[in-house]
Each structure stands twice: as structure tokens, then as C-alpha cells.
Amino acid sequence: MMPELKHSFCRCCINQCSINVIVEDGRVLAVEGNPDNPQYKGYSCIKGRSQAAFLTDKNRLLHPLRRRADGTHEAVSSDAALNEIAEKLKRIKDRFGPRAIASYWGTMASIGNPGAAMPFYNALLDAIGTNMRFDPNTIDKGGKQTAQSFLGYWGAPSRGFDRPDAILLIGINPLLTYTGFPAGSPKRWIADMLQRDCKLIVIDPRETQIAQRATHFLQARPGWDVQILAAFIKVILDEELYDAEFVARHVTGVRELASALDSLDIAAVAQDAGVDAKLIVEAARAYAGAKRGYAMAGTGPHMSGFGTLVEYLTIVIDTLCGRWMRAGETILPSPSLLPAYTARAEARPPDADWALAGRLRVRGLKQSRAGMPTAALAEEMLLPGKGQVKALISWGGNPAVAYPDQERVIRALTSLDLFVTVDPWYSESAKLAHYVLPPMMGLEVEAATIFMDWVSGRATGYGQGLAHAQHTEAIVPPPEGSDLLEDWEIFYELLVRMGYRAEVLPFGSPPDAPKLQFDSRPTSSRLLERLTERGRIPLQRIKGNPGGHVYDEDLIVVEPGDPANSSRLDVGHAEMMRWLTEFLNAAPSSVDDAHEYRLLCRRQNHVYNSSCHNEVTHKGRPYNPAFLNPEDMAELEIAEGDEIRISSELGVIRGLAHADRYLIRKTLSMSFAYGRATDPTAEPAIYGANPNRLIPSDQVFDPYTGQPRMTNVPVSIAKAG
Ligand SMILES: Nc1nc2c(c(=O)[nH]1)N[C@H]1C(S)=C(S)[C@@H](COP(=O)(O)OP(=O)(O)OC[C@H]3O[C@@H](n4cnc5c(=O)[nH]c(N)nc54)[C@H](O)[C@@H]3O)O[C@H]1N2
Ligand SMILES: Nc1nc2c(c(=O)[nH]1)N[C@H]1C(S)=C(S)[C@@H](COP(=O)(O)OP(=O)(O)OC[C@H]3O[C@@H](n4cnc5c(=O)[nH]c(N)nc54)[C@H](O)[C@@H]3O)O[C@H]1N2
Ligand code: SF4
Ligand SMILES: [Mo]
């Protein structure tokens, strides 16, 4: 057969690029960007283009695995594995109660095919009756939702990606991470915005790729974002740069906010943070002076240990500047596969009680709108007594490398009665699991861009800027002789085998939406039809444009608010003001006598957390370098490629030093998700090393989300030997 070109979209990362796949005899020969797609215009990256190699990688799991008594794994049929897992889950539930069964969906669960699989995953946990449900949000940017609980909610999205005249990026690097900019080519988009004279303000201790394009770059020491944003607010209030009309009508707490900032000395903040005071003032003016814009705080500030407060200040700035959509404005990224929603230009009050029902037994932590505090899950597994977690169902995640406090996490995972993971790879977590259920991979399953519909518009800085949608057939069959299910089928089968009804709430629906019943296992095509029945655009139409299309007719228009609604967004919430005041009065956090350096979080283009690690993508560098400023290297007498010893209050790892002249001094910038989970001494040049060995989960953490300090972590560095 001749090679054939098929349209699809990439499910290797959150950007979900429209791709052209060259197929011959059921095998993928090549993947490239689709130049005719209106949103992506041919964009793709090395991860997506390398996926032909992932499908046929010799390390890919083609059969479920079951752990033997000696810790090694044997292949087992999916039928047997599912029966045994269902039986064990029932037994654990009967003996210890539903809370003993915890779940975790990871990054690849959310960007793979969540539209189909998440409803069955949720239905399984609902049926079991457990609220011990975890996900990566509270080790990522958990402060986003908790901050909103203090500010209140606007009934319509922010103006976000729609023609910003100013963008404020705090510790985020969209050119590499596809967060903070709309889906598509981030390079092309920002070039277009800058061409329109958009101001780009970046706060980061590293002069990242995006910082190099900034109109205002604040290369601040890590950990100073609260003070810097407070200084921005002070400028905005003092110089009356806020949107007076919006503030008068919809905002409360300005007096409390101003009074908390009364004694703030911008010159002192500038000195502590290591930036020029004039630049802070100019940047604040540039941002607030623009007509439209948005601010996005990334993992840098959110991993600082006080994400809720940084995020609160970030959305306070946007609220003062009136960055929210008004009546009559059109929501360009209206969902296509999901139902249209009603947006109203009005405030909804802060939650009276931001915490939800779930309580942990440790450190007074609670469930919040950000979810359960994931960094405390290991403690819940290790703490004996009523409610102890005995089983974990992990899907598309890699707790063994992704959770802080790695040594404890490994102890916890290996103490479980049952650990099941759904992963196509023999990940560091899979190695510890009792059962590994490998699912089919992206190009082997039919899907539609439901995830994009869900993330777009409603959260500032995520998703797409247009009402783009795409459907893809399964492009190739799974490998011959394999025994794989789709992710959703795994959860469907567990539901049924545990004796529950397959009754699911479609992804992205409110909790009171009608559930769909499945009396027998549907085909994937039928399932997709049913899940998108209420979509704004009929699935049939979306299928008719297989290369992807922008459905920009009948977009959602923001409706006027109810004139009787007196709710306001609270920029001076008492609890946040107390915390802010503590910060402004605290001693400089950069000083630590025992450890001179600060470990910073960092992402790389060619991998996605622990995914996409492959010879084709890493091109001969399989490890994660320990990046240092060259002047620091000279001072420490460390040469390029030297092995170093990195130690913190918690642990020690080995690393290979590489110079990065873009780093501020006295920092160490290193990616996570490398290394051998159970052998931290493994050769760093082959496996890399995991910063999570260095990061305690229970020392410095955000009190609302439980998210530990995962950046700006005090460390010492010495040449090994
Ligand atoms: N190619 C690729 N894309 C990805 C991923 C990947 O692994 N690879 N991972 C995905 C995931 S799960 C996520 S959550 C996103 C993350 O996306 P981003 O948040 O953009 O992640 P980073 O690129 O690490 O950017 C964080 C920045 O914060 C800076 N920083 C560190 N500490 C501080 C601080 O205290 N203050 C300030 N202001 N800055 C600080 C760091 O120097 C770094 O430049 O990326 C997603 N996209
Ligand atoms: N020190 C430190 N720790 C961190 C971070 C950090 O910057 N520094 N980042 C944090 C952040 S932002 C996040 S989001 C979390 C991430 O935490 P996790 O989501 O738990 O970690 P990942 O490495 O993304 O795990 C993805 C897993 O999915 C598997 N996978 C790949 N393809 C597929 C697929 O098609 N289907 C399925 N079912 N599985 C697949 C991969 O093999 C891998 O095991 O880590 C957090 N931890
Ligand atoms: S991995 Fe690369 S090609 Fe795939 S969606 Fe992300 S940016 Fe696009
Ligand atoms: Mo993340």
C-alpha cells in the first residue's frame, strides 16, 4: 500500500496540535504539523513529531503486568488482571471502608482522552464511595482555585487571549510549556502581539526564552513575588491606574487593600528582590495602563509555598484593572463539543467556606476547590489507624517521581495492599505497582478536542483563543499481539466487574446534569456521540472537517448581570490581608545560613514531565542537567559536566553541572521527573536525578492547598569527589 496522509491531533501535551500523520500498512511513518489548520498553522514540536517512535518503542508495555512475590512482574491477560483488581478492591472496601481506596489521575490522564475516560473513572470512585481522590493540581498551581475562593467569581471569563495590550507573566515560560498563551504556535502568537505593541512583562529569576522577548523583564530573586506584586498594586492604587468604573460597581475591599500596603516601601522590595525599583514602577504602569490584558502566574510562584497568596494578588491586579469580560462581549473560545454555557457580567461572592467536605488526617489539611492535597497522600498511606489508605488507583501519573519527599513516597507506595497503575510505560511508579494496565496510545484511539473545550476561556491563561475543534479517527491499530484497552474501557470494566452500574456524568457537565447509562459496553464511536450529544456544534459537523476547523458562528455572548445583584469581588479579604501583612513584615526569605543556593523548578521542551523520554527526543542527553550560573561555577571550581553533590535539609542527590548564563546567581535550575525512584545513587549521566529527593512535603507549604515549597528550596552545592 502507498503511504497515506491522515489528519489527527496530538495528545502528547496540552497544546493538542493539529497534525498530519503519514501511515503505511497500519504503521505510522511520520508525524508533522498540519499547515492548513487555522489555529496551529503547521505548528508541532519534537515530542509530537517523535510519536511514531513511541508507538513502536521496545520498552512500551503491550500486556498488563502483575507483580510476583519477589517484586518482579509477569505478563497477565487484561481479563485476569481486571478480575483480580476488582476482587481486591471489593475486599479492601469491605474490610477497611471506602476511604482506604485512594485514586490519582495524573497529567497524561487529563490530556490523553479525558472526555471519554474521566466520566468512567469518576463513576468508579463514586460507586466505591471514596472522596480520597487526588490529582496533580495541588502540586502544580493549586493556588489558582483557592485564591478565587477568597476573591469571588466573575460570571464570565477574563478577556485573556483576546487582543491583550499587556501581558504579565510571573514564573512561567509559555514558549516551552504551552501554558499562558493560547494553543497554537506560542512563538508566532507573541510575535504578533508584540507587533501590535503589546507590553510583555516577565518576572523570573531566569532570563527564559519568553523573558528574552519581554518589554519589561524583572529578573528577581526567587520567592519575592508577593512583595513584587504588592508593589505593583501600590503603584496602581497610588497612581489611580485602576479601572475606576469597574471598581466602583463590582469591587469591594480597596480600602483594606490600600491600608495593608500602606507601609510598603518599593525601594526596599526592589533591593530585597534584586531588581531596579524604577523598573517595578514602570512595569506596573505598563501593565495597568494598557486597555486590555491578562496576568498569568505559573509554576514558579505557585511552587513557592504560598501559591494562594501570589495568585490572589495576581487576580486582584486583574480585577482592579477590570480585565473581566463585560456584557455584549463575545467569548471567542466558546466550546464546540461541550454545551454552550451562560456567561453573565456580574460578581459572585467569595465562598463562605472555601473548604469542601474532604478532610485529611494529617497537618489539618483539607480538600479545597484545588482538590485534595496530593503532597500529603504518602502521609495518609503511612499513618496507621482508621481511614488509612490501603490501595491506590493511579492513572496517567507517576507518583514515584512527581511527588515531593520522594523517599517517603516510595515507602508509602510500597506499603500499600494494592497499587494499580494505568500507564503504557514501565514507569518508576509502574515498577512498584501490583498491577500495571497499559492503555492504547493517542494515535490508536478515536477522540475529539473535548479537553480543549473544557480548559478554554474559563481559566485565564489556558486553552485556546478560538472556537477550534477537531475529531480524529483511530489512526493505527494497537501493535499486533498486544492486549490493550482504551483508558475509558479500563474503568468501564472495573465498574462492571465490581458489580456497579455504568452510569456516567459527561465530562465538563455540572454535577446535576443528566447521567448517561450504559447497559453494555459501547463502541468508542458510540460513546463519543453520546458524550457530545449536547455540544454547541454537532459531532457530525466536526467530523466533516477532519483537519480541524474554527466554529465561530453563534458564539457565546456575555449577558448583562442582574441589576439586583449586589455581590462584589473582594480585593481586601481579611484572611488574605493578614497573610499579606505577615509577608510584608517578615525578614527577607533569601537568607538561609545553612544553604546558600536556591533550587528552581524548570521545564524542558523535549520531554513532558516523565513522558516522552526517548532516544529520539533527548538526542544523546538522557539526563536533567543541574544548571548553574557560570560565575557561581567558577566560584565553586566546578567545570562543565562535572558531577556535583546537591544537598538540602531532607536529602542529597548527584547531578551534572551545566552552565546557564541566563540564571540569576546563587540558584540551581533543574527539571524533575528524572532518576531512579528506588536507587537515588543511580548514575546521573544515564538516569538524571530527582529534585523531589530534596523537597520536604511537610515543612513549608501553602496552608490551603497543602502545596509544598517546590522551588526556591534552600540547597548546598559542592563538587563531588
Ligand atoms: N515542553 C514541556 N511543556 C510542558 C511540560 C513539560 O515538562 N515540558 N510540563 C507541563 C506542566 S505539567 C506544567 S504544570 C507546565 C508548567 O509550565 P511553566 O509554569 O511555564 O513551567 P516552567 O517553564 O518551569 O516555568 C517556571 C518558571 O518559574 C521560574 N521560577 C522559579 N521560581 C520562581 C519564583 O520564586 N518566582 C518567579 N517569579 N519565578 C520562579 C523558573 O525559573 C521558570 O522559568 O508546563 C506544561 N508544559
Ligand atoms: N520537584 C518537582 N516536582 C514536581 C514538579 C516540579 O516542577 N518539580 N511539577 C509538578 C507538576 S506541575 C505536575 S503536573 C506533576 C506531574 O505529576 P504526574 O502527572 O504524576 O507525572 P507525569 O510524569 O506527568 O506522569 C505521567 C505518566 O503518564 C504516563 N503516560 C504517558 N503516556 C500515557 C498515555 O497515553 N496514557 C496513560 N494512561 N499514561 C501515559 C507516563 O509514562 C507517566 O508515568 O508533578 C509535580 N511535581
Ligand atoms: S507535544 Fe508538541 S506536537 Fe504534541 S501537542 Fe504538544 S506542542 Fe503540539
Ligand atoms: Mo503540571
Side-chain angles (χ1 to χ4, degrees), residues 3-44:
E4 200 185 338
L5 185 152
K6 293 189 177 184
H7 294 304
S8 189
F9 65 91
C10 178
R11 279 146 278 170
C12 295
C13 99
I14 195 168
N15 208 35
Q16 312 258 300
C17 297
S18 181
I19 49 176
N20 288 338
V21 187
I22 316 297
V23 183
E24 189 179 44
D25 296 330
R27 277 176 66 102
V28 175
L29 298 184
V31 173
E32 50 201 39
N34 170 5
D36 303 320
N37 181 279
Q39 177 159 271
Y40 296 94
K41 302 187 174 117
Y43 185 81
S44 66

Side-chain angles (χ1 to χ4, degrees), residues 104 107 139-140 396 398 402 422-424 487 603 609-610 672 692:
Y104 174 67
T107 307
I139 47 173
D140 182 335
N398 200 350
V422 178
D423 201 311
D487 291 280
R603 264 152 174 84
N609 304 345
S610 67
F672 85 111
N692 278 326

Side-chain angles (χ1 to χ4, degrees), residues 522-537:
T523 62
S524 297
S525 296
R526 182 67 194 127
L527 172 65
L528 192 58
E529 280 166 17
R530 292 203 56 194
L531 290 167
T532 55
E533 259 161 17
R534 292 149 49 87
R536 186 177 63 92
I537 306 292

Side-chain angles (χ1 to χ4, degrees), residues 67 92 100 102 132 134 361-363 373-384 388-394 399-401 403-420 428-429 431-434 677-678 693 697:
R67 194 157 105 196
I92 291 171
M132 292 297 277
F134 297 79
R361 299 175 304 152
V362 298
R363 295 191 268 135
T374 294
L377 177 53
E379 289 158 79
E380 282 284 346
M381 293 171 176
L382 291 169
L383 181 69
Q388 182 175 14
V389 170
K390 300 279 188 184
L392 178 68
I393 307 167
S394 174
V401 298
Y403 293 7
D405 228 325
Q406 188 185 37
E407 187 272 331
R408 167 153 52 188
V409 172
I410 304 304
R411 249 190 303 130
L413 293 173
T414 49
S415 74
L416 290 171
D417 291 352
L418 179 65
F419 176 21
V420 179
E428 291 302 296
S429 298
K431 287 175 190 165
L432 305 176
H434 295 102
T678 51
R693 283 258 146 194
S697 54

